Amino acid sequence: MKEIIPLLGIETEYGIIREDLENSDPVDESMKLLKSCSQKSVVGKWAYSQENSHQDMRGFKVQSLAQDEEEDAFCAEDRKRPYSYLEMKCDRVLSNGARFYNDHTHPEYSTPECSSLFSLVAHDVAGEKIVAESTKIRNQELGGKSVQIFKNNTDYSGHSYGTHDNYLIPRKIPFDHLVKGLVPFLVTRQLYAGAGKIGSENPNSIGYKGLQLAQRSDFIEKILSIETMTQRPIINTRDEPHAIRNKYRRLHLIMGDANMSAYATALKVGSTRLVLNLIASGGALPDIELENPVEDVQKVSLEKNRNAKLKKTSGDSITALEIQEIYLEAIEQNFSNQNKEWSWIIQEWGKTLNDFKHSPEKLSNRIDWAIKEKLFLEFMESENFSWDDPMLQSLDLEYHNLDPDRGLYRGLEQENHVYSLLTEEEINCAIEFPPAGTRAKIRGDAVNKESEKIKSIHWTGIEFKNGDVVDLTGVISKEDVEKTHSASY
């Protein structure tokens, strides 16, 4: 069967702290981190005029967003700084096709568009390495290890920052069909995609003691919303395709966690891609409608036995695991034995659900929350700690630290205690080169070969100082890439 969801991408906002200062400025620190990036880049040329975040998939345009008010507040504060807007953004487009910039108080890395799942995961990990190397260079300037970077989603002070998985999908899919097919799946995807979190920051479960499945679940408040910083939804309705508008949408999912485990990232994005393929191809969808999907997001995350019982609109109950099993069965019936990538997803999805059901301890080498659970239980036993000890939140943060000498996940990697999905060669290739067969190849090559000639650059095109323009809006398939690339260079 033809791949219906042709392009994938991940945006990651990283947590940043300056440990040697009592009151540091995260905007300033993010700027200085970005200036330390040694990757070949085009700097300060991002075409913000091409951004449009106010169009809603439900067929209307909103006049203002909560983020606009926050942006206004930032701008009022920023006017006191000795920098221009573009200087503060420190926007970089890298020779591997990625974008690396300052999203106000967080350095953000957006992978290039990828057509292959494994290419995407390699580029996500490449982003970790690029951010970590920039941090190392910055700390060399400071003469210590003052700046620390975390690939996670909470600072434990009530703030959540995002990890967004993106999928280019056909616009012809009816929006209500998309919602019906996705919501039960996304509510329960955290069974294997959750990064784990000590305690809770949600006002409704503030006294929770223990490890919940996911970090973003505390902050989900709506089924549908165009907002990303308040009223965060299960399905974000922003309609900004970065492609031909009448043919495509970009599904911009903001409720996922930042996974340290590349395996978990692959299973999260891979399973979602196949569910979207099922919806787009008109396959028979699981007949599941949850009565309280927003409440269920946190219920699934907090459930002590890891398998919350959820109520359907029909009045019946169904467990989180049963929902995932039903989706997997539908995927197997439609997409088995199609290609190597799909076969890997189906096989590992089934293996993970089976382990979850019968031998959950087997998840502790590849699923983030389960890795944390094993690690923290061992620590608690050795130190005679309980789940509500504040030390565990510190350990939780350190799990996500990119510093190879401090990060707990990095330590487990070095000791070969976690599953290695990628080789060093694959990661290094993604650091240096854009993914073949996507328009990111054209963008990356332009940065690598013609950086001094570029006037502006965006996901959808490149404008050169001599007036030449490379339009990437309709460049989706490998054939589109080859045709445009040969005409451009």
Side-chain angles (χ1 to χ4, degrees), residues 190-232:
Q190 56 191 310
L191 294 184
Y192 48 83
K197 177 180 179 178
I198 295 292
S200 175
E201 293 174 272
N202 188 297
N204 296 323
S205 54
I206 205 69
Y208 178 82
K209 297 178 183 179
L211 180 80
Q212 59 173 307
L213 292 180
Q215 299 197 349
R216 286 287 270 186
S217 296
D218 278 344
F219 303 95
I220 300 303
E221 301 177 72
K222 304 271 284 186
I223 298 175
L224 303 173
S225 172
I226 194 172
E227 300 285 358
T228 59
M229 301 177 76
T230 63
Q231 298 293 301
R232 295 181 180 97

Side-chain angles (χ1 to χ4, degrees), residues 17-21 29 32 135-147:
I17 61 171
R18 176 84 181 267
E19 292 186 325
D20 62 330
L21 298 177
E29 293 304 327
K32 289 171 180 174
T135 309
K136 180 180 177 181
I137 294 170
R138 171 64 179 142
N139 279 327
Q140 287 171 347
E141 296 172 355
L142 294 171
K145 284 197 172 184
S146 303
V147 177

Side-chain angles (χ1 to χ4, degrees), residues 390-438:
M391 175 62 75
L392 288 177
Q393 285 190 351
S394 298
L395 290 177
D396 197 349
L397 286 171
E398 290 301 322
Y399 178 88
H400 298 271
N401 196 325
L402 296 189
D403 187 335
D405 297 325
R406 278 182 49 171
L408 299 183
Y409 187 84
R410 288 288 176 257
L412 294 171
E413 274 187 320
Q414 292 161 19
E415 296 169 4
N416 296 316
H417 288 167
V418 289
Y419 183 87
S420 295
L421 180 69
L422 302 166
T423 65
E424 285 300 314
E425 182 181 4
E426 289 170 324
I427 297 168
N428 290 335
C429 183
I431 291 172
E432 295 297 328
F433 303 106
T438 78

Side-chain angles (χ1 to χ4, degrees), residues 9-15 101 103 106-111 120-121 123-125 127-128 131 149-155 159-167 186 189 193-196 214-217 219-220 227-229 232-236 238 250-262 264-266 268-269 272 368 372 400 402:
I10 296 176
E11 307 160 271
T12 303
E13 298 172 22
Y14 286 86
Y101 72 109
D103 191 14
H106 298 277
E108 177 165 334
Y109 188 93
S110 299
T111 69
L120 175 68
V121 178
H123 275 277
D124 183 54
V125 177
E128 294 176 21
V131 175
I149 302 291
F150 304 89
K151 189 188 183 190
N152 74 334
N153 303 104
T154 179
D155 61 0
H159 303 118
S160 181
Y161 29 99
T163 300
H164 307 161
D165 43 320
N166 295 273
Y167 308 83
L186 291 175
R189 185 180 71 166
Q215 299 197 349
R216 286 287 270 186
S217 296
F219 303 95
I220 300 303
E227 300 285 358
T228 59
M229 301 177 76
R232 295 181 180 97
I234 296 171
I235 296 178
N236 182 255
R238 179 188 297 179
R250 176 175 60 102
L251 182 65
H252 178 241
L253 297 178
I254 71 166
M255 70 171 287
D257 282 3
N259 296 105
M260 294 300 294
S261 167
T265 300
K268 172 179 70 179
V269 176
T272 307
D368 284 298
K372 281 185 180 180
H400 298 271
L402 296 189

Side-chain angles (χ1 to χ4, degrees), residues 66 93 224 243 283 307 321 372 452:
V93 179
L224 303 173
N307 192 18
L321 179 60
K372 281 185 180 180
E452 297 302 317

